[in-house]
Amino acid sequence: MNLTRSRLLVQSLSFGILTYGGRFGLNLGHALPCLSCPYVNGCGGHCFLMALQGSFWGVQASLSALAGPRGLETLRMLALFILLALQLSKLWCGWICPFGTLQDALTWVRSRLGIPEARWSWATSDRLRWVKYIFLLLLLAIPLMIANLGLHGDYGLPFCQICPAKPLMPLFTGDTAHLAIDTTNAITTAMTVLSLLLAGGFLAGMFFRERFFCIFCPMLALLGLVQRFGLVRFTKNVNACVGCGSCARSCPLEIRTVRAELVKRDVMSPECMACMTCADSCAHDGSLSFHWLKWRIFASSAVGAARRFRKGLFS
Ligand code: SF4
Ligand code: SF4
Ligand code: SF4
């Protein structure tokens, strides 16, 4: 299987379905484990992060309130998200997420222009990985503070207010409304200015660095929490690995644990997005493989790596 071509096909189809599917009556619900942004008019399904923040917004801290309709709705949405996340795990990120696909498109444009990727130390990468957990905590805590501590309601949906998908993804439908500053009051003005500054910063980051936003994405943090129970497995045959480091060099998120692991079979780290690039770049038959339940999705092979090498896809 030509992994690059297959992934491009799935990503293109997913992008089209999730960005425009609603115009053709498609509704995949409000609990999708990827940034399919509801601010896109006519999208085919909604990112779970919006529902998660919206549910917590109205939840009072008392146990009786949590057992009420709002709390039960939150649990229902969470159960749906977990069900979807268990089915495809990180494939949502590597193969389906429209915002991930946009990042890959920007990387493609940069490489066609011959502009080298921005690099920083592994220590910096390791530190940056914690930011997504801070975002996740804040996107839960701020709505609860609105409900219980009297924080102004204009701070509602705090992550959506700064998420770069909100101003950028509607542009694919010709909608520029989210590029405007909301001058209703000081909070909305400050939040929309912040949103635009962050969107500009992330856009530049995504151009110069592969999957830059994914490093900070709270959805990846959420998926990481449930991945160990998911049906998709990323395994390593430690006996077939020669420690060449090709997997670590090719990984867009600079994950080094795949190469370093010498004992465990399961090598899917919380940061992994199951793009399978590492397995594609590994020249040792069956050293790295992805399975859905017992069925193999993809495995490293000498033949595949040689093809990749001929096409100059090795980094
Ligand atoms: S980590 Fe990246 S691919 Fe995954 S949901 Fe976030 S933006 Fe999309
Ligand atoms: S703004 Fe971002 S977090 Fe909010 S729904 Fe859109 S993609 Fe999801
Ligand atoms: S470890 Fe492999 S599958 Fe995971 S993100 Fe890196 S290259 Fe992709």
Side-chain angles (χ1 to χ4, degrees), residues 38 52 80 112 142 178 193 207 213 256 262 283 294:
L52 186 63
L80 197 54
R112 299 297 287 190
I142 292 175
H178 299 288
V193 168
F207 181 76
F213 176 73
R256 286 161 283 148
L262 296 175
K294 65 179 173 127

Side-chain angles (χ1 to χ4, degrees), residues 85-155:
L86 292 179
Q87 293 299 318
L88 295 180
S89 188
K90 301 294 189 57
L91 295 180
W92 285 103
C93 287
W95 293 66
I96 299 170
C97 176
F99 204 62
T101 302
L102 171 63
Q103 294 177 74
D104 289 345
L106 288 168
T107 295
W108 182 82
V109 172
R110 176 182 51 73
S111 65
R112 299 297 287 190
L113 293 173
I115 300 171
E117 185 175 22
R119 289 270 158 193
W120 50 66
S121 70
W122 279 341
T124 305
S125 292
D126 290 344
R127 275 194 293 272
L128 289 178
R129 278 178 189 147
W130 289 101
V131 177
K132 62 178 167 299
Y133 297 102
I134 296 171
F135 276 145
L136 183 58
L137 269 181
L138 286 177
L139 78 78
L140 298 177
I142 292 175
L144 281 175
M145 284 158 75
I146 295 171
N148 297 286
L149 298 175
L151 189 70
H152 198 287
D154 282 340
Y155 290 109

